[in-house]
Amino acid sequence: MVKTVPGQIGAASLMSLAHGTNDAQKTMGVIFLALVAHGSLDPEAEMPLWVRVVCAVAIAAGTYMGGWRVIRTLGKGIVDISPRQGMSADFSSASIILTSSHLGLPLSTTHVASGSVIGSGMARTDAKVRWSVARRMLVAWLITLPAAGAVGAACFLLAGLFGHLWGSIVVTAILIAACAAMWLRSRASHVGHHNVADEWEQPKKERKREIDRELSAIASGIAPVSRPRKRKKRKDRGGDR
């Protein structure tokens, strides 16, 4: 179990609130703009309740399904931080994000949280920043917007081929299937409360054995896993040919 320090739970809760106040507003704004462009809403109308509920459920579901992996990447992947440093990073990120939300300014909560973690981690004299992980995150940030635009255009064109109702049903089914496939793929290297604080860099053989065990555990619910039996070596006897 991961040890906590007094105030860390409060700092994490405040960071969660700040994340919702900023990211949820941006998501709702995009949906509202799409509804206005389609002619379904008046520009002066209030934000529909169903838009708020959908955005809240989507963000909560995404955090529930991938939150442990995000925690491990930020807390162990970029730099190995202690609970006190994590509390400091949460308070720093929450104060910046809440101030931005109060002023109505959009920002990337991921950039703010990552910068706070790196800054608090580098405060230690023996800190080791894994810039390879940071570069992977940077590449992901760069391709997020173009990839989102490409997926949105593809969904729009696909929905137009089947009509308004059936097009929405087909696109929704494809997106659900894609999300399920990504979730199943993530289970191959499952991250949870049992291993979120493990060392980031494991020996290759140990990592391979861990992945094999998790894959066997997943496959055991579908079919029995057959294990090869070890053959005993026969000792050579003198005179045998």
Side-chain angles (χ1 to χ4, degrees):
M1 181 178 293
V2 182
K3 295 182 180 179
T4 59
V5 296
Q8 188 178 8
I9 297 178
S13 302
L14 188 63
M15 176 60 191
S16 177
L17 173 65
H19 177 264
T21 56
N22 197 277
D23 277 15
Q25 288 190 63
K26 292 185 291 187
T27 308
M28 288 188 296
V30 172
I31 296 176
F32 186 86
L33 180 61
L35 293 174
V36 171
H38 186 263
S40 302
L41 282 179
D42 187 82
E44 302 298 329
E46 295 185 357
M47 183 67 66
L49 178 61
W50 68 268
V51 175
R52 303 178 187 180
V53 173
V54 167
C55 293
V57 171
I59 293 178
T63 305
Y64 174 78
M65 296 179 66
W68 285 114
R69 192 174 297 273
V70 174
I71 293 172
R72 176 163 174 76
T73 302
L74 290 179
K76 285 288 184 179
I78 300 179
V79 61
D80 194 353
I81 62 175
S82 65
R84 292 182 178 86
Q85 291 171 309
M87 182 185 67
S88 302
D90 282 338
F91 273 126
S92 173
S93 301
S95 60
I96 295 173
I97 297 172
L98 287 175
T99 302
S100 175
S101 300
H102 177 71
L103 298 175
L105 303 175
L107 52 75
S108 173
T109 55
T110 309
H111 288 75
V112 174
S114 302
S116 299
V117 169
I118 294 176
S120 62
M122 292 183 65
R124 290 170 49 181
T125 56
D126 58 342
K128 177 185 177 182
V129 180
R130 299 181 181 88
W131 295 110
S132 59
V133 179
R135 283 194 297 269
R136 289 169 56 189
M137 293 180 60
L138 179 60
V139 172
W141 292 338
L142 291 176
I143 66 176
T144 295
L145 288 178
V151 172
C155 290
F156 179 77
L157 295 176
L158 184 62
L161 297 176
F162 294 92
H164 181 70
L165 177 61
W166 284 106
S168 301
I169 294 175
V170 170
V171 170
T172 302
I174 293 175
L175 293 178
I176 292 176
C179 291
M182 288 186 287
W183 181 78
L184 291 174
R185 176 64 181 85
S186 68
R187 302 296 293 182
S189 56
H190 179 59
V191 178
H193 62 86
H194 62 287
N195 63 350
V196 68
D198 292 349
E199 293 298 326
W200 181 262
E201 296 177 349
Q202 297 178 355
K204 292 183 178 180
K205 292 183 178 179
E206 181 181 348
R207 191 183 310 170
K208 185 178 183 300
R209 286 196 299 267
E210 183 179 349
I211 294 176
D212 291 340
R213 286 196 300 267
E214 293 178 351
L215 289 175
S216 299
I218 296 173
S220 61
I222 303 174
V225 179
S226 58
R227 297 180 179 178
R229 297 181 178 179
K230 295 182 179 180
R231 296 183 179 179
K232 296 182 179 180
K233 295 182 179 180
R234 300 176 64 181
K235 296 182 180 179
D236 294 337
R237 298 179 182 178
D240 292 346
R241 296 181 180 177

mmCIF file of all heavy atoms in Angstrom, residues 120-143:
data_model
loop_
_atom_site.group_PDB
_atom_site.id
_atom_site.type_symbol
_atom_site.label_atom_id
_atom_site.label_comp_id
_atom_site.label_asym_id
_atom_site.label_seq_id
_atom_site.Cartn_x
_atom_site.Cartn_y
_atom_site.Cartn_z
ATOM 1 N N SER A 120 8.853 19.692 -8.586
ATOM 2 C CA SER A 120 8.985 19.182 -7.220
ATOM 3 C C SER A 120 9.978 18.033 -7.150
ATOM 4 O O SER A 120 10.687 17.875 -6.159
ATOM 5 C CB SER A 120 7.624 18.729 -6.694
ATOM 6 O OG SER A 120 7.097 17.663 -7.488
ATOM 7 N N GLY A 121 10.049 17.226 -8.211
ATOM 8 C CA GLY A 121 10.988 16.112 -8.214
ATOM 9 C C GLY A 121 12.424 16.560 -8.325
ATOM 10 O O GLY A 121 13.324 15.995 -7.697
ATOM 11 N N MET A 122 12.672 17.596 -9.106
ATOM 12 C CA MET A 122 14.044 18.093 -9.292
ATOM 13 C C MET A 122 14.547 18.862 -8.079
ATOM 14 O O MET A 122 15.734 19.203 -8.016
ATOM 15 C CB MET A 122 14.108 18.979 -10.541
ATOM 16 C CG MET A 122 13.891 18.228 -11.843
ATOM 17 S SD MET A 122 14.064 19.278 -13.309
ATOM 18 C CE MET A 122 15.805 19.702 -13.205
ATOM 19 N N ALA A 123 13.662 19.149 -7.118
ATOM 20 C CA ALA A 123 14.111 19.831 -5.902
ATOM 21 C C ALA A 123 15.013 18.932 -5.064
ATOM 22 O O ALA A 123 15.796 19.431 -4.249
ATOM 23 C CB ALA A 123 12.909 20.284 -5.080
ATOM 24 N N ARG A 124 14.912 17.636 -5.256
ATOM 25 C CA ARG A 124 15.796 16.711 -4.547
ATOM 26 C C ARG A 124 17.178 16.718 -5.195
ATOM 27 O O ARG A 124 17.322 16.823 -6.412
ATOM 28 C CB ARG A 124 15.219 15.294 -4.576
ATOM 29 C CG ARG A 124 13.979 15.132 -3.742
ATOM 30 C CD ARG A 124 13.304 13.801 -3.990
ATOM 31 N NE ARG A 124 14.221 12.668 -3.935
ATOM 32 C CZ ARG A 124 13.838 11.406 -4.144
ATOM 33 N NH1 ARG A 124 12.566 11.146 -4.438
ATOM 34 N NH2 ARG A 124 14.707 10.437 -4.068
ATOM 35 N N THR A 125 18.192 16.568 -4.364
ATOM 36 C CA THR A 125 19.560 16.579 -4.884
ATOM 37 C C THR A 125 19.869 15.334 -5.707
ATOM 38 O O THR A 125 20.686 15.377 -6.624
ATOM 39 C CB THR A 125 20.551 16.685 -3.719
ATOM 40 O OG1 THR A 125 20.323 15.604 -2.793
ATOM 41 C CG2 THR A 125 20.382 18.012 -2.986
ATOM 42 N N ASP A 126 19.216 14.213 -5.360
ATOM 43 C CA ASP A 126 19.473 12.961 -6.078
ATOM 44 C C ASP A 126 18.398 12.675 -7.114
ATOM 45 O O ASP A 126 18.172 11.517 -7.472
ATOM 46 C CB ASP A 126 19.565 11.794 -5.095
ATOM 47 C CG ASP A 126 18.291 11.636 -4.264
ATOM 48 O OD1 ASP A 126 17.510 12.610 -4.207
ATOM 49 O OD2 ASP A 126 18.091 10.551 -3.682
ATOM 50 N N ALA A 127 17.708 13.729 -7.579
ATOM 51 C CA ALA A 127 16.613 13.522 -8.531
ATOM 52 C C ALA A 127 17.144 13.055 -9.881
ATOM 53 O O ALA A 127 18.203 13.489 -10.333
ATOM 54 C CB ALA A 127 15.812 14.818 -8.712
ATOM 55 N N LYS A 128 16.368 12.179 -10.504
ATOM 56 C CA LYS A 128 16.722 11.667 -11.825
ATOM 57 C C LYS A 128 15.500 11.781 -12.719
ATOM 58 O O LYS A 128 14.524 11.068 -12.554
ATOM 59 C CB LYS A 128 17.173 10.204 -11.738
ATOM 60 C CG LYS A 128 17.481 9.593 -13.101
ATOM 61 C CD LYS A 128 17.805 8.114 -12.976
ATOM 62 C CE LYS A 128 18.029 7.499 -14.360
ATOM 63 N NZ LYS A 128 18.301 6.033 -14.266
ATOM 64 N N VAL A 129 15.535 12.706 -13.638
ATOM 65 C CA VAL A 129 14.436 12.919 -14.574
ATOM 66 C C VAL A 129 14.640 12.021 -15.791
ATOM 67 O O VAL A 129 15.698 12.048 -16.420
ATOM 68 C CB VAL A 129 14.333 14.391 -15.005
ATOM 69 C CG1 VAL A 129 13.185 14.589 -15.980
ATOM 70 C CG2 VAL A 129 14.165 15.294 -13.792
ATOM 71 N N ARG A 130 13.629 11.230 -16.103
ATOM 72 C CA ARG A 130 13.690 10.350 -17.275
ATOM 73 C C ARG A 130 13.135 11.131 -18.465
ATOM 74 O O ARG A 130 11.926 11.140 -18.717
ATOM 75 C CB ARG A 130 12.897 9.071 -17.020
ATOM 76 C CG ARG A 130 13.435 8.252 -15.849
ATOM 77 C CD ARG A 130 12.631 6.981 -15.657
ATOM 78 N NE ARG A 130 13.137 6.220 -14.531
ATOM 79 C CZ ARG A 130 12.735 6.385 -13.268
ATOM 80 N NH1 ARG A 130 11.811 7.305 -12.986
ATOM 81 N NH2 ARG A 130 13.231 5.653 -12.305
ATOM 82 N N TRP A 131 14.035 11.772 -19.191
ATOM 83 C CA TRP A 131 13.604 12.627 -20.298
ATOM 84 C C TRP A 131 13.036 11.810 -21.446
ATOM 85 O O TRP A 131 12.315 12.352 -22.285
ATOM 86 C CB TRP A 131 14.781 13.477 -20.768
ATOM 87 C CG TRP A 131 15.253 14.452 -19.740
ATOM 88 C CD1 TRP A 131 16.419 14.417 -19.032
ATOM 89 C CD2 TRP A 131 14.536 15.598 -19.264
ATOM 90 N NE1 TRP A 131 16.480 15.479 -18.156
ATOM 91 C CE2 TRP A 131 15.341 16.229 -18.281
ATOM 92 C CE3 TRP A 131 13.296 16.167 -19.578
ATOM 93 C CZ2 TRP A 131 14.953 17.383 -17.614
ATOM 94 C CZ3 TRP A 131 12.904 17.317 -18.920
ATOM 95 C CH2 TRP A 131 13.732 17.906 -17.959
ATOM 96 N N SER A 132 13.337 10.514 -21.510
ATOM 97 C CA SER A 132 12.746 9.685 -22.560
ATOM 98 C C SER A 132 11.235 9.580 -22.378
ATOM 99 O O SER A 132 10.473 9.620 -23.356
ATOM 100 C CB SER A 132 13.379 8.295 -22.548
ATOM 101 O OG SER A 132 13.180 7.657 -21.288
ATOM 102 N N VAL A 133 10.786 9.453 -21.122
ATOM 103 C CA VAL A 133 9.341 9.425 -20.844
ATOM 104 C C VAL A 133 8.723 10.784 -21.147
ATOM 105 O O VAL A 133 7.624 10.877 -21.709
ATOM 106 C CB VAL A 133 9.084 9.020 -19.382
ATOM 107 C CG1 VAL A 133 7.590 9.000 -19.077
ATOM 108 C CG2 VAL A 133 9.695 7.650 -19.090
ATOM 109 N N ALA A 134 9.428 11.859 -20.788
ATOM 110 C CA ALA A 134 8.921 13.201 -21.071
ATOM 111 C C ALA A 134 8.803 13.443 -22.578
ATOM 112 O O ALA A 134 7.845 14.088 -23.039
ATOM 113 C CB ALA A 134 9.832 14.249 -20.436
ATOM 114 N N ARG A 135 9.753 12.918 -23.351
ATOM 115 C CA ARG A 135 9.676 13.076 -24.808
ATOM 116 C C ARG A 135 8.484 12.326 -25.378
ATOM 117 O O ARG A 135 7.813 12.819 -26.302
ATOM 118 C CB ARG A 135 10.974 12.589 -25.452
ATOM 119 C CG ARG A 135 12.137 13.566 -25.323
ATOM 120 C CD ARG A 135 13.265 13.186 -26.264
ATOM 121 N NE ARG A 135 13.830 11.890 -25.934
ATOM 122 C CZ ARG A 135 14.854 11.716 -25.103
ATOM 123 N NH1 ARG A 135 15.408 12.750 -24.510
ATOM 124 N NH2 ARG A 135 15.327 10.508 -24.863
ATOM 125 N N ARG A 136 8.203 11.146 -24.849
ATOM 126 C CA ARG A 136 7.029 10.391 -25.313
ATOM 127 C C ARG A 136 5.745 11.155 -25.021
ATOM 128 O O ARG A 136 4.815 11.174 -25.838
ATOM 129 C CB ARG A 136 7.010 9.024 -24.646
ATOM 130 C CG ARG A 136 8.096 8.077 -25.150
ATOM 131 C CD ARG A 136 8.196 6.847 -24.275
ATOM 132 N NE ARG A 136 6.915 6.161 -24.171
ATOM 133 C CZ ARG A 136 6.679 5.156 -23.329
ATOM 134 N NH1 ARG A 136 7.627 4.745 -22.498
ATOM 135 N NH2 ARG A 136 5.510 4.574 -23.316
ATOM 136 N N MET A 137 5.677 11.784 -23.858
ATOM 137 C CA MET A 137 4.500 12.589 -23.537
ATOM 138 C C MET A 137 4.394 13.788 -24.466
ATOM 139 O O MET A 137 3.289 14.160 -24.901
ATOM 140 C CB MET A 137 4.571 13.047 -22.076
ATOM 141 C CG MET A 137 4.448 11.923 -21.072
ATOM 142 S SD MET A 137 4.547 12.509 -19.370
ATOM 143 C CE MET A 137 3.161 13.634 -19.299
ATOM 144 N N LEU A 138 5.523 14.407 -24.791
ATOM 145 C CA LEU A 138 5.510 15.547 -25.698
ATOM 146 C C LEU A 138 5.012 15.137 -27.082
ATOM 147 O O LEU A 138 4.217 15.857 -27.704
ATOM 148 C CB LEU A 138 6.912 16.148 -25.787
ATOM 149 C CG LEU A 138 7.077 17.356 -26.726
ATOM 150 C CD1 LEU A 138 6.195 18.497 -26.288
ATOM 151 C CD2 LEU A 138 8.534 17.806 -26.777
ATOM 152 N N VAL A 139 5.468 13.992 -27.568
ATOM 153 C CA VAL A 139 4.993 13.502 -28.872
ATOM 154 C C VAL A 139 3.487 13.252 -28.829
ATOM 155 O O VAL A 139 2.753 13.577 -29.779
ATOM 156 C CB VAL A 139 5.766 12.230 -29.269
ATOM 157 C CG1 VAL A 139 5.150 11.597 -30.509
ATOM 158 C CG2 VAL A 139 7.230 12.548 -29.517
ATOM 159 N N ALA A 140 3.016 12.675 -27.719
ATOM 160 C CA ALA A 140 1.571 12.433 -27.584
ATOM 161 C C ALA A 140 0.796 13.743 -27.601
ATOM 162 O O ALA A 140 -0.291 13.837 -28.198
ATOM 163 C CB ALA A 140 1.296 11.658 -26.297
ATOM 164 N N TRP A 141 1.318 14.774 -26.940
ATOM 165 C CA TRP A 141 0.644 16.077 -26.953
ATOM 166 C C TRP A 141 0.586 16.655 -28.366
ATOM 167 O O TRP A 141 -0.411 17.264 -28.757
ATOM 168 C CB TRP A 141 1.369 17.048 -26.028
ATOM 169 C CG TRP A 141 1.260 16.712 -24.579
ATOM 170 C CD1 TRP A 141 0.295 15.941 -23.984
ATOM 171 C CD2 TRP A 141 2.132 17.120 -23.523
ATOM 172 N NE1 TRP A 141 0.523 15.837 -22.642
ATOM 173 C CE2 TRP A 141 1.640 16.551 -22.322
ATOM 174 C CE3 TRP A 141 3.292 17.903 -23.478
ATOM 175 C CZ2 TRP A 141 2.268 16.755 -21.095
ATOM 176 C CZ3 TRP A 141 3.913 18.101 -22.262
ATOM 177 C CH2 TRP A 141 3.401 17.528 -21.078
ATOM 178 N N LEU A 142 1.662 16.484 -29.131
ATOM 179 C CA LEU A 142 1.713 17.071 -30.470
ATOM 180 C C LEU A 142 0.732 16.400 -31.437
ATOM 181 O O LEU A 142 0.182 17.062 -32.318
ATOM 182 C CB LEU A 142 3.143 16.973 -31.019
ATOM 183 C CG LEU A 142 4.191 17.850 -30.324
ATOM 184 C CD1 LEU A 142 5.566 17.583 -30.912
ATOM 185 C CD2 LEU A 142 3.832 19.330 -30.453
ATOM 186 N N ILE A 143 0.538 15.097 -31.290
ATOM 187 C CA ILE A 143 -0.328 14.388 -32.235
ATOM 188 C C ILE A 143 -1.773 14.324 -31.765
ATOM 189 O O ILE A 143 -2.642 13.862 -32.518
ATOM 190 C CB ILE A 143 0.180 12.953 -32.483
ATOM 191 C CG1 ILE A 143 0.059 12.111 -31.204
ATOM 192 C CG2 ILE A 143 1.608 12.969 -33.002
ATOM 193 C CD1 ILE A 143 0.438 10.660 -31.398
#
